[in-house]
Amino acid sequence: MSATLPAADKIAIRNCVTIDEFKACIALQKEVWNFDDADLVPLRMFVVSHKIGGQIIGAFDRGELVGFAFSIPGTRAGHSYLHSHMLAVREGYRDHGLGRRLKIAQREDAIPKGFDLIEWTFDPLEIKNAHLNLARLGAITRRYSVDHYGSSSSPLQGGLPTDRLVAEWWIKSRRVTNLLEKNQPPQFKVEQRIEVPAQVYAWKASDQDRPKAAAVQLRNREQFISGFARGLAALGFERDAASNGTYLLGHWDEDLPAAPEEKP
């Protein structure tokens, strides 16, 4: 498919508004994550999100849904925000900037509605996601949630605990505005580095090597929790020529609310 894939800017990005489009989102989430039916976000949740001010933003290739971003509104300590629960891109359409375009569309939709924060969770072992979130979008993270969802039916989890980092995307901040609108990456002093080996994907998929992935997860969990407790945030992410990843932790110099405690 990649040989005939249209340029990313030729794929239409627009809101999903019909029942058929919501059903297409359900089919795509099953295709991407291979969830059991019990773990799928059902049709009614897409309808509810659409009705109450959430986002279902789709990517369409000649009318066919090939990606979507799904969010619901939330509030914490009197502050309204959007929780972006899912970002899905069909295999064959990945690594072409489509995920980033969907996130940018979320930002463009959220700002006129008065939101200044979009949050989502992501697996700390997923190197590509971390690079997109921190380096390409300008999100930060300063919260670590242990086994966030409990057990998962998705093979992508590799049977490991569903540990998650919470991405905070302050969409009106200098950090994000300078990165997205001026192509100026944020500058900060690196206080701590947390490494993710590229082999972790193969380790998660192998019964024999899965303990290696589990050891990386546990080591990094302890490092994140320790760093965040010292007031650090993950502000950057690097990848080397061998596709190994490194989180870069430091202090963010913009004012923002205190990080809330994650509920068990």
Side-chain angles (χ1 to χ4, degrees):
M1 180 177 293
S2 60
T4 59
L5 179 68
D9 61 359
K10 300 298 183 183
I11 295 176
I13 306 293
R14 60 174 175 81
N15 289 327
C16 297
V17 296
T18 69
I19 295 294
D20 285 343
E21 289 170 344
F22 299 156
K23 288 181 178 178
C25 291
I26 296 169
L28 186 56
Q29 66 170 305
K30 188 173 182 64
E31 177 184 329
V32 168
W33 286 285
N34 196 22
F35 283 138
D36 291 341
D37 287 349
D39 282 342
L40 293 172
V41 174
L43 175 63
R44 290 191 178 203
M45 279 304 302
F46 284 93
V47 174
V48 168
S49 176
H50 174 61
K51 298 289 187 182
I52 67 173
Q55 298 172 321
I56 308 100
I57 299 174
F60 294 86
D61 179 7
R62 289 157 288 191
E64 180 181 2
L65 185 80
V66 297
F68 72 90
F70 167 68
S71 70
I72 53 178
T75 183
R76 185 175 52 247
H79 190 100
S80 298
Y81 67 99
L82 287 167
H83 175 77
S84 182
H85 182 56
M86 280 186 165
L87 174 68
V89 174
R90 173 168 291 162
E91 187 176 2
Y93 287 82
R94 298 169 193 164
D95 302 319
H96 293 274
L98 191 53
R100 186 172 185 268
R101 284 191 67 206
L102 284 165
K103 299 304 291 186
I104 297 300
Q106 282 188 305
R107 178 177 184 259
E108 292 174 347
D109 179 78
I111 289 176
K113 294 178 178 178
F115 292 104
D116 59 9
L117 172 63
I118 303 176
E119 291 188 353
W120 61 91
T121 63
F122 66 100
D123 187 338
L125 300 182
E126 290 290 330
I127 293 170
K128 289 184 179 180
N129 286 352
H131 185 262
L132 170 64
N133 295 337
L134 304 185
R136 299 279 289 145
L137 295 174
I140 70 165
T141 180
R142 52 191 174 141
R143 285 178 279 160
Y144 193 101
S145 182
V146 177
D147 203 20
H148 186 80
Y149 296 109
S151 61
S152 171
S153 60
S154 173
L156 298 178
Q157 191 62 36
L160 298 180
T162 53
D163 286 18
R164 293 293 185 267
L165 287 167
V166 181
E168 300 176 38
W169 199 24
W170 294 91
I171 55 179
K172 298 179 184 177
S173 65
R174 291 194 309 273
R175 169 187 172 87
V176 172
T177 300
N178 287 342
L179 177 62
L180 299 185
E181 299 178 9
K182 302 178 183 179
N183 197 29
Q184 295 177 358
Q187 303 296 315
F188 60 94
K189 180 181 179 182
V190 178
E191 304 280 355
Q192 183 179 351
R193 296 174 181 267
I194 299 177
E195 299 177 352
V196 185
Q199 300 97 314
V200 74
Y201 294 106
W203 293 344
K204 287 170 66 176
S206 166
D207 291 339
Q208 180 178 351
D209 292 330
R210 193 163 295 125
K212 297 179 182 179
V216 173
Q217 184 186 61
L218 180 59
R219 179 199 70 200
N220 287 5
R221 176 195 295 172
E222 294 172 348
Q223 292 182 4
F224 275 117
I225 291 174
S226 173
F228 294 163
R230 292 187 286 116
L232 300 179
L235 302 177
F237 193 84
E238 294 179 342
R239 294 185 297 185
D240 64 18
S243 296
N244 300 299
T246 303
Y247 290 90
L248 308 176
L249 278 64
H251 292 280
W252 191 23
D253 62 359
E254 294 189 55
D255 292 334
L256 73 166
E261 295 290 335
E262 283 299 319
K263 296 180 180 179

